[in-house]
Amino acid sequence: MKQFGFDVVVVGAGHAGCEAALAASRLGASVALVTFSRNDIGTMSCNPAIGGLGKGHLVREIDALDGAMARVADASGIQFRLLNRRKGPAVRGPRAQIDRDLYRVGMTREIENALNLRVIEGEVVDLLVSSNEAARGVLLSDGSEVDAKTVVLTVGTFLGGVIHIGNERHAGGRMGARSAKKLAERIRSGAFAVGRLKTGTPPRLHRNTINWAGIGSQPGDEQPTFFSFLTRGQPNAAQISCGITHTNGKTHEIIRENLHQSAMYGGMIDGIGPRYCPSIEDKVVRFTEKDSHQVFVEPEGLKSDLVYPNGISTSLPADIQIDYVRSIAGFERAKIAQPGYAIEYDYVDPRSLDRTLLFRSIPNLYLAGQINGTTGYEEAGAQGLVAGLNAARASSGVAGITFSRSDGYIGVLIDDLVTRGVSEPYRMFTSRAEYRLTLRADNADSRLTDFGRQIGLVKDPRWKKFAAKKDRLSTARSALKSTKLGPQAVSAVVPGLRINGPSRSAYDVLSLAGAEIAELFASYPHLKSHGYETVDQLQNEAVYSMYEARQDREISALERDEAILLPKDLDYRKIGSLSKEVCGKLELARPETIAQAGRIEGVTPAALTAILAHTRGRAKRSA
Amino acid sequence: MEETIFALATARGKAGLAVIRISGPNAVPVLSALGGKVPAPRSSRLCVLRDGTRGVLDHALVLYFAEGASFTDEDVVELHLHGSIAIVQAVIAAILDTGLARMAGPGEFTRRALMNERLDLTQVQGLSDMIDAETEVQRRHALRVFGGEMSEQVAEWRVKLIRAAALLEATIDFAEEDTPEDVEPEVRALLENVIGDLRRASKGFGAARTLRDGFEVALIGAPNAGKSSLLNRLTGSDAAIVSKVAGTTRDIIEVRMNIDGMLILILDTAGLRHTEDEVESIGVTRARARAKDADLRIFLHEEEVPEPPFDLLTEEDLIVRTKVDVRGGSGISNVTGEGIEELVEKIGAVAERRVDAASLFSRERDRASLENAVLSLEETRLMDLPVEVQVASIRNAVMHLADIIGAFDVEFVLDDIFRSFCIGK
C-alpha cells in the first residue's frame, strides 16, 4: 500500500519527533508521524523531570516558537522549582517533576489536535530514495510506502543499542537492529563517523516500599514558575515533594567489593559516558574522599507506584543492586521494580549535518535528537523543532532557517553539534552560552516570538498574548526610565545603600543589587499599575544593562563573521599553510561561515586569515 | 597538496658558504632533478649538482630532514653551496626550471612550522627576535621566548583563569549538586595572582621593548658642549659632523653601540638654545621631544656650574662636564679620552638595571592585550557582583589574551569541573 502526498514524514514520536511533526504542521505542511504505537507518543524514557539549568532555557525557547513541550510539562508537572533562585536572572532555570502518564497523554492530545498531521503506526525499515539519491519517503516493515518530500529521522538509539546489567546483555533500543538494517546502513555510510556512547539508569523502586518518614523531603516552590509563557494561575496537577537521602560507607563498600561484576568496570562497555551523570560505581571509584553521595527520590507520577532514585545509576548485577540500595537510609525494605542498567548505543557524528539539521550526504533527510549524540528531552525537542521547521520549508522549496549563538540556546546547541561534534552525550549547560547574560529564560519570548511569527511558527493565540505583553513591557520601561528618584528615595528602594548617592531613574535603581520592587511600588504607587510581573522582568533586563553594551559589541563582531559564507565545496587542502589536522577537522565540519570555522578546535586566527584570503582570491578568480 | 618552497637561508653576498633550504613534498624530487642523491634522514652527502643541460653547478653538501622531524614538519633538503653569488643564482634558476618548487615568501618556512604545530605563536615571535638579535643580551632574551618560557608563563595563567571560571561555573550550572558552597576565596586568590603577574609583565614591557629595539641614550646640552665629539669618541666613527660653529647638528643622529652585550643607541641632538633660525628652532624642539622619550639622557656642560634643563631630566640621568683637558676639573675629555671609559660603564650599569626588569612580552600588541585583560579581571573585585557577571569578566580577559594564550573554550572549564567535583545526582 502506498500513502502519498505528505510534505514531511517524521519517524519516531519521542520528544524530537513530536516537536518536529508539530512544527511542520504549524507551518502548514501535511505531516505523517510514524511510530510503533500511539502509546509511545511523548514517552519519558529516563528521569521524570523536565527543565533545569540550560535545559529550562531550551524549553522556554521551544515555547517562544510555539512548540508543545512547555505547555505539556506545565499541565503534567507535579513539583515546580526555579533553580538558582538566589543567583542572577540569567542563570535561573525552571525545572519540574513530571507525571509520566499525564505527559504522554498531554503530548498525544497535542499531536491529535494538530492540523494536517496523521499518525501512522508501523516500523520503518528503509528510506525511499529518488533517482538522485534524495530521500522521498520511508518503507515500512509491512511493505507499505509513505511518500513525502522530506524525511525527519528522530530514532534515538536505533543504530544498535546494547543493554548491560552486570554481565548480562541484550539488544535494546526500540527498533530491532535487524529489521531496520538497510536504513542503518544508509545512515552509517552517509555519516562522516559513527561513535559509541553509553548512559546509565538507576534501579526503579516501588514507592510504597520506601520509608518516606526516614528521609529528607524537598518540596516545590510555593509559587510555581511555569515553563510556558501562556500558562497562568495554579498547577493543573496535585503537587508532591521529592525525598532526599544519602549513600553511606556501607553502600560504598558493597559497590567496591563488586566492582568486577559491573559491566562498566568489567570492561564489557567501551562507549563513552556522560561525565555529568556518572554511575554510582564511577562516583565511588573516582571520588574516594567522599563518604556519602546525595540521592534524590523522585516519584514518577501521582498514580504511579514507581520512584526514580536519581544519583545511583548502575550496571551492577541485579542481586548486588538490591544489596546496595537497601544499605541506604529509607530504602531498608525497598523493592526493586526494574533493575538499573547501562545502555550503549551508536550515534551519528553531528558534523555530518548542516545548521538546518539536514544530513548532508542524503538530500531531503533531516536528523534530530539522541541519534545526533545528545541526551535529554529538552535537547531533543529543540532539535526536533528546528528539523521539522526546515523539513517543512524545504518541502515547499523555501530556504532553511538557522539560529545563531546570539539568538538563543537553540543556536548554541546546534552550532556546538554541527561545528564541534560531541565526545560524550551532549547536554546543555548555561556555561555553553557565551551570551548568557542576554539569553535568559525570562526573555525567550522577546528574543524569539517575533521571528517565530515571521516564519509562520507562531499561531494567533500566542501572538496576540505576546503582542500585548510587548506593549506592557515597553510602556513600563518608559515609565521606569522617566521616573527619577532622589538619593533619599533610592536608599528606600535599595536597603543598605548609602543615602548620599546620586539621583537615578527607577530603571537604574532596579539594576542595583538588593533593589526591592515592593519598596518601589510603595514609594511610587503610579508604577504599580504596570504590574509586578512586568516590572520584575524589566528588573532582570536592567541588572545586565551595564554589560549589554560589551556583549552587543561581541555579538556584532560575531554577526560580521557569520555573514562571511564559506563555499560549500571549499577544498581546504588547496589552502597552503593549513595543517593536515586542521584540514581534516574543517573537512569534517564543513563550516558554513568563517565564524563557525573559528569555533572549531585548533583553528587559529592565522588559519582563519588563510581561509579568508583563499576564499577571497577564489571569488576574484571566478568573477 | 602543499606546494614546495625554497629560499636562500643565509645572507646574500659573498661568503664561505651559502645554504638553500627546500621544504615540502617535492624537496627530494628537486634534489633528484638536480642530479643529487638523497642522504639518510639527519645526515649529509656530497653531491654534484647539475642544471637541465647537465652542466655542473656546484659540489654541494646535502642535508636531509624527513617529514615529521624537520623545522617545518615537512620534508626538508638543505643544499650547502660554495658561497659565490654566481653559484647561488645558478642553483636558484635551476631549481625554478624543475617546476617542482617556488621561491618562498618572507617568513614562509616559519609559518609552515607554526601551521604544522612545530612551533607555537610565542615561539615564532621568539624566533623572529632571535634572528634579528644583534647583541648577546637580546639573543638570550629571544632564546627565553623561543625556548617556550613565554608559553609556559602563559599556560600557567590560562590554567588559573580556567580554574577560576570553573569554580564559579560549578556553582551556577551544578547548583543542585555536591559542589562547594563558597568558592570565593579560591577564585579571589587565583585572580589576584594573575592580575599581579599581568601587571608585572606589562610593566616590564618597556624594558623588553628596549631590549629588542635598543636602549636609547640622548646626548643633550648647550650648543658646542661637545655632544657630537663625545658621540664620535664613543663610536670611533664620523657619523656626526663635528665643527666648532655652534648649532651644527640640526638633525638627530643615531649611532648603534654594543655595551656589555646590550644594544645601545646613542642619539646626538641639536644643542638646546633659544634661536631665531627657523630650521634650527625646529631642530631644538625635536631634540627636546626625542630626548624626553629616550631611556637615558646625558647632559653635557663645559661651564663649572651647569644649568641643566630640569624639566627634561630624571633621577638616573647623568650630568657630565666636558673639555676637562682644557678647563680642568673632573669630567670627560673627548680629546684625551679621559673619563670616557667610566662614562661607558655608567651607561651600561643603568641599561642593565632596566633590562633586568624586562618581561617576556615586548610587542605593542601584547602590551595592549595584557592591560585590557587586567582591566577586565579587576572588574571582578566589585562588591556584590553577580557570579555570572564575574565569569563574563574572566571570559573577557581571556579573550583579550586570546592572541597569546588561545581562546576561551568552555570544554576546558567543563573538564575542570568534572575532574574536581562529583557531579551527577
Side-chain angles (χ1 to χ4, degrees), chain A residues 81 84 88 275 278 283 286 311 430-431 436 544 577 579-580, chain B residues 67 115 169 171-173 176 178 388 409 415 418 423-425:
Chain A
R81 285 173 60 227
N84 278 342
R275 290 169 302 175
K283 291 186 189 179
R286 288 182 44 221
T430 70
S431 48
R436 177 165 63 187
Y544 300 115
S577 72
S579 76
K580 279 178 204 146
Chain B
E67 184 183 341
M115 288 302 170
E169 291 286 15
T171 68
I172 296 174
D173 268 334
E176 293 277 286
D178 279 345
E388 65 276 16
D409 191 328
D415 281 345
F418 297 136
I423 300 291
K425 58 180 189 181

PDB file of all heavy atoms in Angstrom, chain A residues 81 84 88 275 278 283 286 311 430-431 436 544 577 579-580, chain B residues 67 115 169 171-173 176 178 388 409 415 418 423-425:
ATOM      1  N   ARG A  81      10.166  23.877  40.527  1.00  0.00           N
ATOM      2  CA  ARG A  81      11.207  24.619  41.258  1.00  0.00           C
ATOM      3  C   ARG A  81      12.003  25.473  40.288  1.00  0.00           C
ATOM      4  O   ARG A  81      12.349  25.034  39.199  1.00  0.00           O
ATOM      5  CB  ARG A  81      12.162  23.649  41.974  1.00  0.00           C
ATOM      6  CG  ARG A  81      11.522  23.026  43.222  1.00  0.00           C
ATOM      7  CD  ARG A  81      12.410  21.952  43.805  1.00  0.00           C
ATOM      8  NE  ARG A  81      13.687  22.488  44.183  1.00  0.00           N
ATOM      9  CZ  ARG A  81      14.859  21.930  43.873  1.00  0.00           C
ATOM     10  NH1 ARG A  81      14.886  20.814  43.180  1.00  0.00           N
ATOM     11  NH2 ARG A  81      15.982  22.468  44.261  1.00  0.00           N
ATOM     12  N   ASN A  84      18.562  28.035  41.084  1.00  0.00           N
ATOM     13  CA  ASN A  84      19.400  29.242  41.208  1.00  0.00           C
ATOM     14  C   ASN A  84      18.573  30.488  41.501  1.00  0.00           C
ATOM     15  O   ASN A  84      18.921  31.586  41.072  1.00  0.00           O
ATOM     16  CB  ASN A  84      20.220  29.492  39.922  1.00  0.00           C
ATOM     17  CG  ASN A  84      21.479  28.641  39.882  1.00  0.00           C
ATOM     18  OD1 ASN A  84      21.921  28.126  40.901  1.00  0.00           O
ATOM     19  ND2 ASN A  84      22.043  28.485  38.712  1.00  0.00           N
ATOM     20  N   GLY A  88      21.679  35.452  39.809  1.00  0.00           N
ATOM     21  CA  GLY A  88      21.184  36.410  38.835  1.00  0.00           C
ATOM     22  C   GLY A  88      20.156  35.789  37.890  1.00  0.00           C
ATOM     23  O   GLY A  88      20.173  34.580  37.657  1.00  0.00           O
ATOM     24  N   ARG A 275      30.080  12.714  31.686  1.00  0.00           N
ATOM     25  CA  ARG A 275      30.810  12.985  32.916  1.00  0.00           C
ATOM     26  C   ARG A 275      29.925  13.623  33.970  1.00  0.00           C
ATOM     27  O   ARG A 275      30.218  13.588  35.142  1.00  0.00           O
ATOM     28  CB  ARG A 275      31.989  13.917  32.628  1.00  0.00           C
ATOM     29  CG  ARG A 275      33.088  13.274  31.839  1.00  0.00           C
ATOM     30  CD  ARG A 275      34.062  14.324  31.374  1.00  0.00           C
ATOM     31  NE  ARG A 275      33.386  15.337  30.570  1.00  0.00           N
ATOM     32  CZ  ARG A 275      33.973  16.435  30.105  1.00  0.00           C
ATOM     33  NH1 ARG A 275      35.231  16.680  30.387  1.00  0.00           N
ATOM     34  NH2 ARG A 275      33.307  17.284  29.364  1.00  0.00           N
ATOM     35  N   PRO A 278      27.580  10.407  36.211  1.00  0.00           N
ATOM     36  CA  PRO A 278      28.331   9.162  36.363  1.00  0.00           C
ATOM     37  C   PRO A 278      27.517   8.101  37.109  1.00  0.00           C
ATOM     38  O   PRO A 278      26.587   8.427  37.844  1.00  0.00           O
ATOM     39  CB  PRO A 278      29.549   9.580  37.192  1.00  0.00           C
ATOM     40  CG  PRO A 278      29.108  10.781  37.951  1.00  0.00           C
ATOM     41  CD  PRO A 278      28.046  11.457  37.134  1.00  0.00           C
ATOM     42  N   LYS A 283      31.325   7.146  40.785  1.00  0.00           N
ATOM     43  CA  LYS A 283      31.440   8.104  41.888  1.00  0.00           C
ATOM     44  C   LYS A 283      32.298   7.537  43.009  1.00  0.00           C
ATOM     45  O   LYS A 283      33.137   8.238  43.576  1.00  0.00           O
ATOM     46  CB  LYS A 283      30.050   8.434  42.444  1.00  0.00           C
ATOM     47  CG  LYS A 283      29.173   9.244  41.510  1.00  0.00           C
ATOM     48  CD  LYS A 283      27.889   9.621  42.223  1.00  0.00           C
ATOM     49  CE  LYS A 283      26.899  10.241  41.271  1.00  0.00           C
ATOM     50  NZ  LYS A 283      25.639  10.584  41.947  1.00  0.00           N
ATOM     51  N   ARG A 286      36.035   7.267  41.661  1.00  0.00           N
ATOM     52  CA  ARG A 286      36.758   8.494  41.320  1.00  0.00           C
ATOM     53  C   ARG A 286      36.813   9.493  42.461  1.00  0.00           C
ATOM     54  O   ARG A 286      37.710  10.326  42.525  1.00  0.00           O
ATOM     55  CB  ARG A 286      36.140   9.138  40.082  1.00  0.00           C
ATOM     56  CG  ARG A 286      36.444   8.344  38.813  1.00  0.00           C
ATOM     57  CD  ARG A 286      35.866   9.005  37.576  1.00  0.00           C
ATOM     58  NE  ARG A 286      36.109  10.441  37.580  1.00  0.00           N
ATOM     59  CZ  ARG A 286      35.210  11.342  37.206  1.00  0.00           C
ATOM     60  NH1 ARG A 286      34.027  10.963  36.808  1.00  0.00           N
ATOM     61  NH2 ARG A 286      35.513  12.622  37.237  1.00  0.00           N
ATOM     62  N   GLY A 311      20.690   9.484  41.063  1.00  0.00           N
ATOM     63  CA  GLY A 311      22.028   9.594  41.636  1.00  0.00           C
ATOM     64  C   GLY A 311      22.712   8.256  41.842  1.00  0.00           C
ATOM     65  O   GLY A 311      23.860   8.193  42.250  1.00  0.00           O
ATOM     66  N   THR A 430      24.348  26.293  31.069  1.00  0.00           N
ATOM     67  CA  THR A 430      24.327  27.738  30.768  1.00  0.00           C
ATOM     68  C   THR A 430      25.714  28.210  30.384  1.00  0.00           C
ATOM     69  O   THR A 430      25.865  29.175  29.649  1.00  0.00           O
ATOM     70  CB  THR A 430      23.826  28.591  31.954  1.00  0.00           C
ATOM     71  OG1 THR A 430      24.805  28.572  32.994  1.00  0.00           O
ATOM     72  CG2 THR A 430      22.499  28.095  32.487  1.00  0.00           C
ATOM     73  N   SER A 431      26.757  27.512  30.896  1.00  0.00           N
ATOM     74  CA  SER A 431      28.118  27.967  30.594  1.00  0.00           C
ATOM     75  C   SER A 431      28.485  27.776  29.123  1.00  0.00           C
ATOM     76  O   SER A 431      29.475  28.315  28.664  1.00  0.00           O
ATOM     77  CB  SER A 431      29.127  27.252  31.488  1.00  0.00           C
ATOM     78  OG  SER A 431      28.885  25.867  31.501  1.00  0.00           O
ATOM     79  N   ARG A 436      25.266  34.530  27.618  1.00  0.00           N
ATOM     80  CA  ARG A 436      24.357  34.100  28.673  1.00  0.00           C
ATOM     81  C   ARG A 436      23.576  35.242  29.320  1.00  0.00           C
ATOM     82  O   ARG A 436      22.419  35.077  29.691  1.00  0.00           O
ATOM     83  CB  ARG A 436      25.187  33.362  29.730  1.00  0.00           C
ATOM     84  CG  ARG A 436      24.434  32.906  30.926  1.00  0.00           C
ATOM     85  CD  ARG A 436      25.235  31.899  31.703  1.00  0.00           C
ATOM     86  NE  ARG A 436      26.466  32.427  32.245  1.00  0.00           N
ATOM     87  CZ  ARG A 436      27.392  31.686  32.852  1.00  0.00           C
ATOM     88  NH1 ARG A 436      27.218  30.387  32.980  1.00  0.00           N
ATOM     89  NH2 ARG A 436      28.470  32.221  33.319  1.00  0.00           N
ATOM     90  N   TYR A 544      21.522  43.645  33.890  1.00  0.00           N
ATOM     91  CA  TYR A 544      22.643  43.403  32.984  1.00  0.00           C
ATOM     92  C   TYR A 544      22.870  44.531  31.995  1.00  0.00           C
ATOM     93  O   TYR A 544      23.730  44.414  31.122  1.00  0.00           O
ATOM     94  CB  TYR A 544      22.416  42.104  32.214  1.00  0.00           C
ATOM     95  CG  TYR A 544      22.301  40.909  33.116  1.00  0.00           C
ATOM     96  CD1 TYR A 544      21.118  40.201  33.207  1.00  0.00           C
ATOM     97  CD2 TYR A 544      23.386  40.500  33.880  1.00  0.00           C
ATOM     98  CE1 TYR A 544      21.010  39.102  34.038  1.00  0.00           C
ATOM     99  CE2 TYR A 544      23.286  39.406  34.715  1.00  0.00           C
ATOM    100  CZ  TYR A 544      22.088  38.710  34.790  1.00  0.00           C
ATOM    101  OH  TYR A 544      21.986  37.630  35.610  1.00  0.00           O
ATOM    102  N   SER A 577      49.443  26.323   3.914  1.00  0.00           N
ATOM    103  CA  SER A 577      49.608  26.753   5.292  1.00  0.00           C
ATOM    104  C   SER A 577      48.527  26.291   6.274  1.00  0.00           C
ATOM    105  O   SER A 577      48.469  26.769   7.382  1.00  0.00           O
ATOM    106  CB  SER A 577      49.757  28.267   5.376  1.00  0.00           C
ATOM    107  OG  SER A 577      48.533  28.916   5.116  1.00  0.00           O
ATOM    108  N   SER A 579      47.437  23.071   8.558  1.00  0.00           N
ATOM    109  CA  SER A 579      47.982  21.772   8.932  1.00  0.00           C
ATOM    110  C   SER A 579      47.015  20.667   8.529  1.00  0.00           C
ATOM    111  O   SER A 579      45.822  20.902   8.341  1.00  0.00           O
ATOM    112  CB  SER A 579      48.246  21.713  10.434  1.00  0.00           C
ATOM    113  OG  SER A 579      47.027  21.541  11.121  1.00  0.00           O
ATOM    114  N   LYS A 580      47.541  19.462   8.393  1.00  0.00           N
ATOM    115  CA  LYS A 580      46.692  18.338   7.987  1.00  0.00           C
ATOM    116  C   LYS A 580      45.568  18.121   8.981  1.00  0.00           C
ATOM    117  O   LYS A 580      44.432  17.840   8.626  1.00  0.00           O
ATOM    118  CB  LYS A 580      47.537  17.068   7.897  1.00  0.00           C
ATOM    119  CG  LYS A 580      48.290  16.984   6.604  1.00  0.00           C
ATOM    120  CD  LYS A 580      49.158  15.731   6.583  1.00  0.00           C
ATOM    121  CE  LYS A 580      50.309  15.941   5.619  1.00  0.00           C
ATOM    122  NZ  LYS A 580      51.538  15.296   6.030  1.00  0.00           N
TER     123      LYS A 580
ATOM    124  N   GLU B  67      60.078  14.309   6.733  1.00  0.00           N
ATOM    125  CA  GLU B  67      58.780  14.809   7.182  1.00  0.00           C
ATOM    126  C   GLU B  67      58.525  14.340   8.612  1.00  0.00           C
ATOM    127  O   GLU B  67      58.777  13.192   8.944  1.00  0.00           O
ATOM    128  CB  GLU B  67      57.690  14.253   6.260  1.00  0.00           C
ATOM    129  CG  GLU B  67      56.309  14.780   6.586  1.00  0.00           C
ATOM    130  CD  GLU B  67      55.235  14.157   5.705  1.00  0.00           C
ATOM    131  OE1 GLU B  67      55.578  13.621   4.634  1.00  0.00           O
ATOM    132  OE2 GLU B  67      54.066  14.199   6.111  1.00  0.00           O
ATOM    133  N   MET B 115      52.027  26.392  11.384  1.00  0.00           N
ATOM    134  CA  MET B 115      50.814  25.717  10.956  1.00  0.00           C
ATOM    135  C   MET B 115      50.875  24.227  11.239  1.00  0.00           C
ATOM    136  O   MET B 115      49.885  23.595  11.530  1.00  0.00           O
ATOM    137  CB  MET B 115      50.608  25.923   9.450  1.00  0.00           C
ATOM    138  CG  MET B 115      50.202  27.318   9.108  1.00  0.00           C
ATOM    139  SD  MET B 115      48.694  27.750   9.980  1.00  0.00           S
ATOM    140  CE  MET B 115      48.625  29.478   9.631  1.00  0.00           C
ATOM    141  N   GLU B 169      31.542  28.570  37.612  1.00  0.00           N
ATOM    142  CA  GLU B 169      30.529  27.882  36.797  1.00  0.00           C
ATOM    143  C   GLU B 169      29.934  26.688  37.539  1.00  0.00           C
ATOM    144  O   GLU B 169      28.762  26.382  37.370  1.00  0.00           O
ATOM    145  CB  GLU B 169      31.123  27.400  35.468  1.00  0.00           C
ATOM    146  CG  GLU B 169      31.495  28.507  34.495  1.00  0.00           C
ATOM    147  CD  GLU B 169      30.290  29.165  33.831  1.00  0.00           C
ATOM    148  OE1 GLU B 169      29.153  28.981  34.302  1.00  0.00           O
ATOM    149  OE2 GLU B 169      30.499  29.894  32.850  1.00  0.00           O
ATOM    150  N   THR B 171      29.222  26.487  40.568  1.00  0.00           N
ATOM    151  CA  THR B 171      28.157  26.944  41.475  1.00  0.00           C
ATOM    152  C   THR B 171      26.920  27.377  40.695  1.00  0.00           C
ATOM    153  O   THR B 171      25.844  27.488  41.246  1.00  0.00           O
ATOM    154  CB  THR B 171      28.607  28.121  42.356  1.00  0.00           C
ATOM    155  OG1 THR B 171      28.805  29.272  41.525  1.00  0.00           O
ATOM    156  CG2 THR B 171      29.878  27.811  43.112  1.00  0.00           C
ATOM    157  N   ILE B 172      27.089  27.646  39.392  1.00  0.00           N
ATOM    158  CA  ILE B 172      25.929  28.046  38.580  1.00  0.00           C
ATOM    159  C   ILE B 172      25.253  26.819  37.980  1.00  0.00           C
ATOM    160  O   ILE B 172      24.092  26.532  38.260  1.00  0.00           O
ATOM    161  CB  ILE B 172      26.363  28.984  37.427  1.00  0.00           C
ATOM    162  CG1 ILE B 172      26.927  30.288  37.979  1.00  0.00           C
ATOM    163  CG2 ILE B 172      25.177  29.270  36.509  1.00  0.00           C
ATOM    164  CD1 ILE B 172      27.502  31.200  36.891  1.00  0.00           C
ATOM    165  N   ASP B 173      26.009  26.090  37.154  1.00  0.00           N
ATOM    166  CA  ASP B 173      25.393  25.013  36.382  1.00  0.00           C
ATOM    167  C   ASP B 173      25.130  23.764  37.212  1.00  0.00           C
ATOM    168  O   ASP B 173      24.364  22.901  36.808  1.00  0.00           O
ATOM    169  CB  ASP B 173      26.280  24.657  35.184  1.00  0.00           C
ATOM    170  CG  ASP B 173      25.898  25.455  33.945  1.00  0.00           C
ATOM    171  OD1 ASP B 173      24.726  25.858  33.858  1.00  0.00           O
ATOM    172  OD2 ASP B 173      26.759  25.673  33.086  1.00  0.00           O
ATOM    173  N   GLU B 176      22.688  22.237  42.105  1.00  0.00           N
ATOM    174  CA  GLU B 176      21.938  21.200  42.804  1.00  0.00           C
ATOM    175  C   GLU B 176      22.841  20.071  43.299  1.00  0.00           C
ATOM    176  O   GLU B 176      22.396  19.143  43.942  1.00  0.00           O
ATOM    177  CB  GLU B 176      20.919  20.579  41.843  1.00  0.00           C
ATOM    178  CG  GLU B 176      19.839  21.517  41.420  1.00  0.00           C
ATOM    179  CD  GLU B 176      18.730  21.583  42.462  1.00  0.00           C
ATOM    180  OE1 GLU B 176      17.953  20.621  42.549  1.00  0.00           O
ATOM    181  OE2 GLU B 176      18.673  22.582  43.188  1.00  0.00           O
ATOM    182  N   ASP B 178      26.668  18.323  44.735  1.00  0.00           N
ATOM    183  CA  ASP B 178      27.575  18.470  45.866  1.00  0.00           C
ATOM    184  C   ASP B 178      28.782  19.309  45.474  1.00  0.00           C
ATOM    185  O   ASP B 178      29.910  18.832  45.479  1.00  0.00           O
ATOM    186  CB  ASP B 178      28.085  17.076  46.293  1.00  0.00           C
ATOM    187  CG  ASP B 178      27.053  16.390  47.148  1.00  0.00           C
ATOM    188  OD1 ASP B 178      26.135  17.076  47.615  1.00  0.00           O
ATOM    189  OD2 ASP B 178      27.172  15.174  47.347  1.00  0.00           O
ATOM    190  N   GLU B 388      27.553  35.277  37.565  1.00  0.00           N
ATOM    191  CA  GLU B 388      27.567  35.105  36.105  1.00  0.00           C
ATOM    192  C   GLU B 388      28.263  36.282  35.423  1.00  0.00           C
ATOM    193  O   GLU B 388      28.833  36.140  34.344  1.00  0.00           O
ATOM    194  CB  GLU B 388      26.148  34.913  35.553  1.00  0.00           C
ATOM    195  CG  GLU B 388      25.191  36.084  35.701  1.00  0.00           C
ATOM    196  CD  GLU B 388      24.511  36.141  37.057  1.00  0.00           C
ATOM    197  OE1 GLU B 388      24.988  35.473  38.000  1.00  0.00           O
ATOM    198  OE2 GLU B 388      23.505  36.867  37.198  1.00  0.00           O
ATOM    199  N   ASP B 409      37.567  28.411  25.916  1.00  0.00           N
ATOM    200  CA  ASP B 409      36.838  27.244  25.439  1.00  0.00           C
ATOM    201  C   ASP B 409      36.114  26.598  26.613  1.00  0.00           C
ATOM    202  O   ASP B 409      36.738  26.143  27.566  1.00  0.00           O
ATOM    203  CB  ASP B 409      37.812  26.249  24.813  1.00  0.00           C
ATOM    204  CG  ASP B 409      37.091  25.136  24.072  1.00  0.00           C
ATOM    205  OD1 ASP B 409      35.982  24.762  24.508  1.00  0.00           O
ATOM    206  OD2 ASP B 409      37.619  24.646  23.073  1.00  0.00           O
ATOM    207  N   ASP B 415      35.829  20.437  31.703  1.00  0.00           N
ATOM    208  CA  ASP B 415      36.808  19.410  32.085  1.00  0.00           C
ATOM    209  C   ASP B 415      37.230  19.594  33.532  1.00  0.00           C
ATOM    210  O   ASP B 415      37.299  18.646  34.307  1.00  0.00           O
ATOM    211  CB  ASP B 415      38.084  19.511  31.220  1.00  0.00           C
ATOM    212  CG  ASP B 415      37.898  18.877  29.856  1.00  0.00           C
ATOM    213  OD1 ASP B 415      36.914  18.138  29.690  1.00  0.00           O
ATOM    214  OD2 ASP B 415      38.727  19.131  28.964  1.00  0.00           O
ATOM    215  N   PHE B 418      34.370  18.694  35.989  1.00  0.00           N
ATOM    216  CA  PHE B 418      34.087  17.262  36.130  1.00  0.00           C
ATOM    217  C   PHE B 418      35.235  16.515  36.773  1.00  0.00           C
ATOM    218  O   PHE B 418      35.054  15.471  37.373  1.00  0.00           O
ATOM    219  CB  PHE B 418      33.728  16.655  34.772  1.00  0.00           C
ATOM    220  CG  PHE B 418      32.484  17.231  34.177  1.00  0.00           C
ATOM    221  CD1 PHE B 418      32.417  17.583  32.848  1.00  0.00           C
ATOM    222  CD2 PHE B 418      31.361  17.448  34.972  1.00  0.00           C
ATOM    223  CE1 PHE B 418      31.265  18.128  32.306  1.00  0.00           C
ATOM    224  CE2 PHE B 418      30.204  17.994  34.436  1.00  0.00           C
ATOM    225  CZ  PHE B 418      30.160  18.338  33.104  1.00  0.00           C
ATOM    226  N   ILE B 423      29.882  15.351  40.074  1.00  0.00           N
ATOM    227  CA  ILE B 423      28.648  15.897  39.531  1.00  0.00           C
ATOM    228  C   ILE B 423      27.759  14.735  39.118  1.00  0.00           C
ATOM    229  O   ILE B 423      28.230  13.751  38.585  1.00  0.00           O
ATOM    230  CB  ILE B 423      28.953  16.740  38.274  1.00  0.00           C
ATOM    231  CG1 ILE B 423      29.888  17.889  38.604  1.00  0.00           C
ATOM    232  CG2 ILE B 423      27.687  17.215  37.604  1.00  0.00           C
ATOM    233  CD1 ILE B 423      29.306  18.958  39.449  1.00  0.00           C
ATOM    234  N   GLY B 424      26.480  14.845  39.320  1.00  0.00           N
ATOM    235  CA  GLY B 424      25.578  13.788  38.870  1.00  0.00           C
ATOM    236  C   GLY B 424      24.758  13.302  40.019  1.00  0.00           C
ATOM    237  O   GLY B 424      25.205  12.504  40.834  1.00  0.00           O
ATOM    238  N   LYS B 425      23.543  13.814  40.122  1.00  0.00           N
ATOM    239  CA  LYS B 425      22.737  13.449  41.282  1.00  0.00           C
ATOM    240  C   LYS B 425      22.008  12.151  41.032  1.00  0.00           C
ATOM    241  O   LYS B 425      22.058  11.620  39.939  1.00  0.00           O
ATOM    242  CB  LYS B 425      21.761  14.557  41.613  1.00  0.00           C
ATOM    243  CG  LYS B 425      20.809  14.938  40.496  1.00  0.00           C
ATOM    244  CD  LYS B 425      19.928  16.044  40.980  1.00  0.00           C
ATOM    245  CE  LYS B 425      18.814  16.310  39.970  1.00  0.00           C
ATOM    246  NZ  LYS B 425      17.955  17.390  40.372  1.00  0.00           N
TER     247      LYS B 425
END
